[in-house]
Amino acid sequence: METKTRNLIRLFLSIILLILAFPLASQEAFPQKIEWKSNANALEYKVELENLNTGKKEIITTEKTSAELSLPPARYRYRVHAYDFLGKEASLSAWTNFEVFKASKPKINKIERKLQVPKDGGSIGISVDIADVNKNSKFELVNESLNGIISASDKMNMGQSSSETDSISHLDFKNVPPGNWRLRVTNPSGLSSLSDIIVVDGEKMFTDVEVALIREEAVKETEEKVRREMEEKLSAEIEKAIALHDLDKEKAEADRLEAEKRAEEERLEAEKRAEEERLEAERAAEEAERLAEIARAEEEKRAKEEAKRAKEEEKRRRKLEKKKNGYQWKDFILEGGLGLTMRLYDESFKESYDESFSPALNVRAMYLPKKTESRKIGLEVCYFNQKFTHETNFLAAELISNVFDAKIVWQQKLVPAMYLQLKGGAGINMLQKSISYSSSYLARTASDDATYYYPLAAGNLSIFCNALKFIVFEVGADYKHVFAGSSAFGMVTPYACAGIRF
């Protein structure tokens, strides 16, 4: 009877203490601390603290270089007075501002309790009504059976305040497997709340990582469950044995042995159940792995089909584009024509040969890669051939000029299909001289042949026309200055060409 009365008293006191402690447990104390650099001459410090919201000031005296505070949420500033052993002020710091934010326990007022996983395994949205949070709060779905934690991938309608006073109405989570989940909300202050169970329905194709995690967590959970059951039951049996210590020792020993026997049997039974659960977990993991393999194969098949469709689509697009636009001109042009070369200066050249004019054969190749609507820029290579002769009673002289040059081409559209051309560049002039003597000239009978190579500068002004698709025409004049040492000479060649455009 006395033991029963004591137990009732203990129960009553426990209920009273629980009632008194509940309001205190709902409010967490968050002390603050401010620190400053020490002063070698300071004996003590006085901290001048001001509440900027209310204007209230207070003085804190300490011999340390820090002060422990417990302030309500508000904006504050402080400065530190250092005093030496004579009581004189040794230094005064500048004002330092800081702010104390409100710490709150999250309030989960409302939450969607039943959700469906999308067929594509994408994210799910949860409608909530959660108060007393801020932008740095953590929103997590927790699942005890999978030992999984999934953080929110998006936070909508959140304020920017650092105080834990904001609210949120919607959360998004990615890759949530079906099961029973709870929403855990944790504020930066460390205070947190846990929701009721949220049921998530749907099918889930597990990845290799998830399969490995499920297998590992299942084994850990089974081992932990067995260990807890053994500890709880062993503790219960030990307490029961201690409570009966006043009974007969032989009976107590028999009871202890019986309890140990039952505990051993229960341990063996628990191990058996644990092994069965482990095997079941392995079978579930293997099934999940099989489903994941099927999902991978289907994904690879879809990817191949998509690549094949994209390739066919690109082929059709190019075919339609080619059909629409026709032949794509590359502006590569080959031309050939005739001209008339005229010597401009160098009297020694003029005196040595009879003709001042000579027919000239020219061949051109032009490529214009840079194009706009009204302008083209490219490169031209050109070959000219002309011959000059001179005959007397004693000799017959012949001079063949072969000109090879490369020029930059600039075309400006004048009217549709007609362009003004300016060209400039450099090249080589190969002069082949041949002199044959008569038998009466100083008894010389052998001919005098020689070949010379001289650099030259070239310029051009011409009109280019491509009125026909494949046929082009060009009319203009080439100017060349040959650097032949002291006998440098110039030539101008009006010409006309026709060619083919590719």
Side-chain angles (χ1 to χ4, degrees):
M1 185 69 180
E2 183 180 354
T3 301
K4 185 177 181 180
T5 302
R6 283 200 302 270
N7 290 338
L8 289 175
I9 293 173
R10 288 175 182 172
L11 178 61
F12 177 74
L13 291 176
S14 298
I15 293 173
I16 294 299
L17 289 175
L18 181 62
I19 294 174
L20 292 175
F22 180 79
L24 296 176
S26 63
Q27 299 181 354
E28 295 286 344
F30 291 92
Q32 303 92 28
K33 182 179 182 181
I34 55 176
E35 296 179 330
W36 56 89
K37 292 183 178 180
S38 62
N39 188 313
N41 299 319
L43 181 64
E44 68 176 7
Y45 301 93
K46 291 187 178 181
V47 181
E48 184 179 356
L49 180 65
E50 180 181 1
N51 186 321
L52 296 178
N53 291 5
T54 63
K56 181 180 178 181
K57 292 185 178 180
E58 65 175 299
I59 302 297
I60 302 171
T61 302
T62 179
E63 295 180 357
K64 302 178 181 179
T65 57
S66 63
E68 300 286 344
L69 307 174
S70 182
L71 303 173
R75 292 184 299 108
Y76 298 89
R77 67 173 184 173
Y78 73 92
R79 59 181 178 179
V80 180
H81 303 259
Y83 293 91
D84 60 19
F85 71 99
L86 297 176
K88 295 182 178 181
E89 187 174 81
S91 65
L92 174 63
S93 70
W95 286 104
T96 300
N97 296 338
F98 66 95
E99 186 172 356
V100 176
F101 297 101
K102 180 181 180 180
S104 304
K105 183 176 181 178
K107 294 180 181 179
I108 305 176
N109 299 319
K110 182 181 178 182
I111 188 168
E112 197 172 355
R113 297 287 301 281
K114 190 171 183 63
L115 301 170
Q116 184 73 26
V117 176
K119 292 183 178 180
D120 60 359
S123 62
I124 61 173
I126 304 178
S127 298
V128 298
D129 180 7
I130 303 175
D132 294 341
V133 293
N134 68 10
K135 60 184 179 180
N136 296 317
S137 299
K138 290 171 59 178
F139 301 87
E140 301 171 315
L141 286 177
V142 295
N143 187 308
E144 295 180 357
S145 62
L146 288 178
N147 196 21
I149 297 177
I150 302 176
S151 299
S153 59
D154 185 26
K155 301 178 186 178
M156 302 175 61
N157 304 323
M158 287 292 291
Q160 298 299 313
S161 173
S162 296
S163 293
E164 297 170 352
T165 57
D166 292 332
S167 62
I168 188 169
S169 60
H170 185 86
L171 293 171
D172 286 327
F173 294 87
K174 292 182 178 180
N175 300 323
V176 181
N180 295 333
W181 298 83
R182 293 178 185 268
L183 176 63
R184 181 169 64 199
V185 184
T186 306
N187 279 336
S189 62
L191 301 178
S192 65
S193 296
L194 192 65
S195 74
D196 294 333
I197 290 176
I198 303 170
V199 178
V200 179
D201 293 328
E203 297 181 358
K204 171 70 176 179
M205 296 296 185
F206 290 93
T207 64
D208 294 340
V209 176
E210 290 172 329
V211 169
L213 180 61
I214 291 173
R215 181 185 290 114
E216 181 181 354
E217 293 299 330
V219 173
K220 288 183 179 179
E221 182 180 359
T222 301
E223 294 175 352
E224 181 63 21
K225 183 178 179 181
V226 171
R227 187 188 63 81
R228 286 198 305 267
E229 289 179 354
M230 289 177 60
E231 289 180 352
E232 291 173 359
K233 291 181 179 181
L234 183 59
S235 176
E237 294 298 334
I238 293 174
E239 288 179 359
K240 183 178 179 181
I242 293 175
L244 299 175
H245 69 281
D246 292 333
L247 297 177
D248 184 74
K249 290 183 179 181
E250 293 182 359
K251 185 177 180 301
E253 181 66 14
D255 290 342
R256 184 183 67 80
L257 294 174
E258 183 64 23
E260 289 180 355
K261 181 180 179 181
R262 286 196 301 272
E264 180 66 16
E265 291 175 351
E266 290 174 355
R267 184 185 67 80
L268 295 175
E269 183 65 24
E271 289 181 354
K272 181 180 179 181
R273 288 197 304 272
E275 180 64 18
E276 292 175 353
E277 291 175 357
R278 184 185 66 79
L279 294 174
E280 183 63 26
E282 287 184 356
R283 285 192 292 270
E286 290 174 358
E287 179 65 15
E289 185 174 359
R290 186 184 66 81
L291 294 176
E293 183 64 28
I294 294 174
R296 283 195 298 271
E298 291 178 351
E299 183 64 26
E300 290 177 358
K301 182 179 178 182
R302 285 195 298 268
K304 289 180 180 178
E305 291 176 351
E306 185 66 26
K308 183 178 179 181
R309 285 195 297 270
K311 187 176 181 181
E312 292 175 351
E313 181 65 25
E314 179 65 16
K315 186 176 180 181
R316 286 194 297 270
R317 185 189 67 78
R318 290 182 178 179
K319 187 175 181 180
L320 291 174
E321 184 177 351
K322 185 175 180 180
K323 183 177 180 181
K324 178 180 178 182
N325 299 329
Y327 180 74
Q328 300 296 313
W329 297 101
K330 309 298 186 301
D331 274 328
F332 181 74
I333 301 160
L334 291 178
E335 296 178 343
L338 294 175
L340 187 63
T341 299
M342 297 179 289
R343 301 194 302 272
L344 296 180
Y345 42 86
D346 183 21
E347 293 301 323
S348 62
F349 187 94
K350 182 177 181 181
E351 293 173 356
S352 301
Y353 298 94
D354 298 332
E355 297 91 347
S356 296
F357 301 92
S358 174
L361 171 68
N362 70 86
V363 179
R364 303 168 183 270
M366 185 162 49
Y367 179 53
L368 303 169
K370 298 294 184 180
K371 294 175 282 189
T372 65
E373 185 66 24
S374 61
R375 187 176 295 111
K376 298 180 181 180
I377 300 174
L379 181 67
E380 178 189 78
V381 292
C382 182
Y383 167 71
F384 271 88
N385 176 272
Q386 55 263 327
K387 182 172 66 173
F388 302 93
T389 61
H390 176 67
E391 292 187 8
T392 67
N393 295 330
F394 306 103
L395 58 84
E398 183 180 75
L399 181 67
I400 299 175
S401 174
N402 298 286
V403 175
F404 303 89
D405 64 42
K407 297 186 287 292
I408 295 174
V409 181
W410 180 81
Q411 289 187 350
Q412 178 65 43
K413 181 184 285 188
L414 300 176
V415 295
M418 183 173 290
Y419 294 84
L420 172 66
Q421 293 190 135
L422 293 177
K423 307 176 186 178
I428 295 293
N429 187 5
M430 183 178 72
L431 293 174
Q432 295 174 305
K433 181 186 73 172
S434 177
I435 302 176
S436 301
Y437 300 94
S438 65
S439 59
S440 59
Y441 182 72
L442 301 177
R444 298 182 64 175
T445 58
S447 61
D448 185 6
D449 298 332
T451 301
Y452 306 94
Y453 296 91
Y454 298 109
L456 61 85
N460 176 282
L461 177 63
S462 58
I463 298 296
F464 179 86
C465 178
N466 63 336
L468 301 177
K469 285 187 176 181
F470 292 95
I471 307 300
V472 298
F473 302 95
E474 182 176 347
V475 178
D478 266 304
Y479 166 75
K480 297 176 177 61
H481 177 85
V482 181
F483 299 92
S486 61
S487 300
F489 58 90
M491 296 180 292
V492 63
T493 307
Y495 67 91
C497 290
I500 300 175
R501 176 188 179 209
F502 298 93

